[in-house]
């Protein structure tokens, strides 16, 4: 132990030492309850950014919201949740991204023109760039939400015979999707 730490500890009361220890233990990843589910839930109030939240649920019932930095990464994450066995990029782009367009309209109460413009502008130089870019952003949002969420991030397609999937979901993990999102929709690609 360094001299400075020893000096600080000798000046602290038992209560202060316990308080400081509790602070450090709260930050210790190994002591956190494991994540056991992912949920897509309709927000209780209207929000122009999206009608649905994505939450990581731990075994104590704690909920950690995932803060996506853009619409398209949230769209692709929820789309991947709705396809537990995963999907190939060419399947997602089939019929000019019709399944993604439909989900986009449901999530954001907007037509999909902005989505299609973004896809066209990013894919013009490098086909497939739209999916690559926003899947990467979705991975980052999941990892920032919790240090325990690695299995909840979209995995690399090279590890799954070319399919984009979430390991936790593909292995039968608990996924809770708001009924209003599933109503009359089939997303399994």
């Amino acid at each position: 132990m360094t001299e400075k730490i020893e000096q600080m500890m000798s000046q602290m009361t038992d209560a202060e030492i316990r308080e400081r220890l509790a602070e450090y233990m709260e930050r210790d990843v190994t002591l956190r309850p494991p994540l056991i589910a992912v949920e897509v839930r309709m927000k209780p109030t209207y929000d122009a950014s999206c009608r649905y939240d994505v939450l990581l649920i731990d075994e104590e019932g704690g909920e950690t919201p995932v803060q996506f930095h853009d619409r398209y990464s949230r769209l692709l994450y929820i789309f991947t949740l709705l396809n537990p066995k995963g999907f190939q990029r060419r399947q997602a782009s089939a019929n000019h991204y019709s399944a993604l367009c439909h989900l986009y309209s449901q999530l954001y109460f907007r037509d999909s023109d902005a989505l299609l413009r973004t896809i066209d502008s990013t894919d013009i130089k490098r086909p497939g760039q739209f999916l690559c870019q926003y899947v990467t952003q979705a991975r980052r949002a999941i990892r920032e939400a919790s240090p325990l969420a690695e299995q909840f991030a979209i995995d690399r397609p090279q590890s799954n015979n070319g399919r984009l999937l979430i390991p936790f979901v593909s292995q039968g993990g608990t996924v809770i999707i708001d009924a209003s999102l599933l109503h009359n929709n089939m997303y399994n690609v």
Side-chain angles (χ1 to χ4, degrees), residues 1 3 12 14 16 25-26 29 33 40 47 52-53 55 64 68 73 83 133 154 170 180 185:
M1 223 181 297
E3 205 173 297
M12 296 171 80
D14 283 346
E16 290 172 327
M25 290 177 79
E26 283 178 9
V29 174
V40 177
D47 185 349
Y52 296 89
D53 282 324
L55 306 163
T64 303
F68 292 94
S73 59
N83 291 281
Q133 180 176 340
I154 299 171
S170 72
S180 64
N185 292 300

Coordinates of all heavy atoms in Angstrom, one line a residue, residues 1 3 12 14 16 25-26 29 33 40 47 52-53 55 64 68 73 83 133 154 170 180 185:
M1 N 0.8 -1.2 0.0 CA 0.0 0.0 0.0 C 0.9 1.2 0.0 O 1.9 1.3 0.7 CB -0.9 0.0 1.2 CG -2.3 0.4 0.9 SD -3.4 0.4 2.4 CE -3.4 -1.2 3.0
E3 N 2.1 5.0 0.8 CA 2.2 5.8 2.1 C 0.9 6.7 2.2 O 0.4 6.8 3.3 CB 3.5 6.6 2.1 CG 3.9 6.9 3.5 CD 5.3 7.6 3.4 OE1 6.3 6.9 3.0 OE2 5.4 8.8 3.8
M12 N -9.2 8.1 9.0 CA -10.6 7.8 8.8 C -11.2 7.0 9.9 O -10.5 6.2 10.5 CB -10.8 7.1 7.5 CG -10.4 7.9 6.2 SD -10.5 6.9 4.7 CE -12.2 7.0 4.4
D14 N -14.1 4.2 11.3 CA -14.6 3.0 10.7 C -15.7 3.2 9.8 O -15.8 2.6 8.7 CB -15.0 2.0 11.8 CG -13.8 1.3 12.5 OD1 -12.7 1.4 12.0 OD2 -14.0 0.7 13.6
E16 N -16.3 5.9 8.0 CA -15.8 6.5 6.7 C -15.2 5.4 5.9 O -15.4 5.4 4.6 CB -14.8 7.6 7.0 CG -15.5 8.8 7.7 CD -14.4 9.9 8.1 OE1 -13.3 9.4 8.6 OE2 -14.8 11.0 8.1
M25 N -17.1 -0.9 -4.0 CA -17.8 -2.1 -4.3 C -18.9 -2.0 -5.3 O -19.2 -2.8 -6.1 CB -18.3 -2.8 -3.0 CG -17.1 -3.4 -2.2 SD -17.6 -4.1 -0.6 CE -18.2 -5.6 -1.2
E26 N -19.6 -0.8 -5.2 CA -20.7 -0.5 -6.2 C -20.2 -0.4 -7.6 O -20.9 -0.8 -8.5 CB -21.4 0.8 -5.8 CG -22.3 0.6 -4.6 CD -23.0 2.0 -4.2 OE1 -22.9 2.9 -5.0 OE2 -23.6 2.0 -3.2
V29 N -17.6 -4.5 -11.2 CA -18.4 -5.2 -12.2 C -18.7 -6.6 -11.7 O -19.8 -7.2 -11.9 CB -17.7 -5.2 -13.6 CG1 -18.5 -6.1 -14.5 CG2 -17.6 -3.8 -14.1
P33 N -25.4 -7.7 -10.3 CA -26.2 -8.9 -10.6 C -26.2 -9.1 -12.2 O -26.2 -8.1 -12.9 CB -27.6 -8.5 -10.2 CG -27.6 -7.0 -10.0 CD -26.2 -6.6 -9.8
V40 N -38.2 -4.6 -24.9 CA -38.5 -3.5 -25.7 C -39.9 -3.1 -25.2 O -40.9 -3.8 -25.3 CB -38.6 -3.8 -27.2 CG1 -39.1 -2.6 -28.0 CG2 -37.2 -4.3 -27.7
D47 N -42.8 10.6 -27.0 CA -41.5 11.0 -27.2 C -41.2 11.0 -28.7 O -41.4 10.0 -29.4 CB -40.5 10.1 -26.5 CG -39.1 10.6 -26.5 OD1 -38.8 11.5 -27.3 OD2 -38.2 10.0 -25.8
Y52 N -40.5 3.5 -28.3 CA -40.1 2.4 -27.5 C -38.7 2.5 -26.8 O -37.8 3.1 -27.4 CB -40.1 1.1 -28.3 CG -41.4 0.8 -28.9 CD1 -41.9 1.3 -30.1 CD2 -42.3 -0.1 -28.2 CE1 -43.1 1.0 -30.6 CE2 -43.6 -0.4 -28.6 CZ -44.0 0.2 -29.8 OH -45.2 -0.1 -30.3
D53 N -38.6 2.0 -25.6 CA -37.3 1.9 -24.9 C -36.8 0.5 -25.0 O -37.5 -0.4 -25.1 CB -37.5 2.2 -23.4 CG -37.6 3.7 -23.1 OD1 -37.0 4.5 -23.8 OD2 -38.4 4.1 -22.2
L55 N -34.5 -2.0 -22.8 CA -34.0 -2.1 -21.4 C -33.3 -3.4 -21.2 O -33.8 -4.4 -21.7 CB -35.2 -2.0 -20.4 CG -36.1 -0.8 -20.6 CD1 -37.4 -1.0 -19.9 CD2 -35.4 0.5 -20.0
T64 N -31.8 -1.3 -16.9 CA -30.8 -0.3 -17.5 C -31.3 0.1 -18.9 O -31.3 -0.8 -19.8 CB -29.4 -1.0 -17.5 OG1 -29.1 -1.4 -16.2 CG2 -28.4 0.0 -18.0
F68 N -29.4 4.8 -27.3 CA -28.9 4.8 -28.7 C -28.7 6.2 -29.1 O -29.5 7.1 -28.8 CB -30.0 4.1 -29.6 CG -30.1 2.6 -29.3 CD1 -31.1 2.1 -28.5 CD2 -29.3 1.7 -29.9 CE1 -31.2 0.8 -28.2 CE2 -29.4 0.3 -29.7 CZ -30.4 -0.1 -28.8
S73 N -29.6 2.9 -35.4 CA -29.0 1.9 -34.6 C -30.0 1.2 -33.7 O -30.0 0.0 -33.5 CB -27.8 2.4 -33.8 OG -28.2 3.5 -32.9
N83 N -35.6 -11.1 -34.8 CA -35.1 -12.2 -35.6 C -34.1 -13.0 -34.8 O -32.9 -12.9 -34.9 CB -34.5 -11.7 -36.9 CG -35.5 -11.0 -37.8 OD1 -36.2 -11.7 -38.5 ND2 -35.6 -9.7 -37.8
Q133 N -22.4 0.4 -40.6 CA -22.3 1.6 -39.7 C -23.3 1.6 -38.6 O -22.8 1.9 -37.4 CB -22.6 2.9 -40.6 CG -22.5 4.2 -39.9 CD -22.7 5.3 -40.8 OE1 -22.5 5.2 -42.0 NE2 -23.0 6.5 -40.3
I154 N -25.0 -7.1 -30.9 CA -25.1 -7.8 -32.1 C -23.7 -8.3 -32.5 O -22.7 -7.6 -32.5 CB -25.6 -6.8 -33.3 CG1 -27.0 -6.3 -32.9 CG2 -25.6 -7.6 -34.6 CD1 -27.5 -5.2 -33.9
S170 N -30.1 -15.7 -29.6 CA -30.0 -16.9 -30.4 C -29.9 -18.1 -29.5 O -30.2 -19.2 -29.9 CB -28.9 -16.8 -31.4 OG -27.7 -16.9 -30.7
S180 N -47.8 -4.3 -28.6 CA -48.2 -3.3 -29.7 C -47.2 -3.3 -30.8 O -47.5 -3.1 -32.0 CB -48.3 -1.9 -29.1 OG -47.0 -1.5 -28.6
N185 N -47.5 -8.4 -37.1 CA -46.3 -8.3 -37.8 C -45.5 -9.6 -37.7 O -45.4 -10.2 -36.7 CB -45.4 -7.1 -37.2 CG -46.0 -5.8 -37.5 OD1 -46.2 -5.4 -38.6 ND2 -46.4 -5.1 -36.4

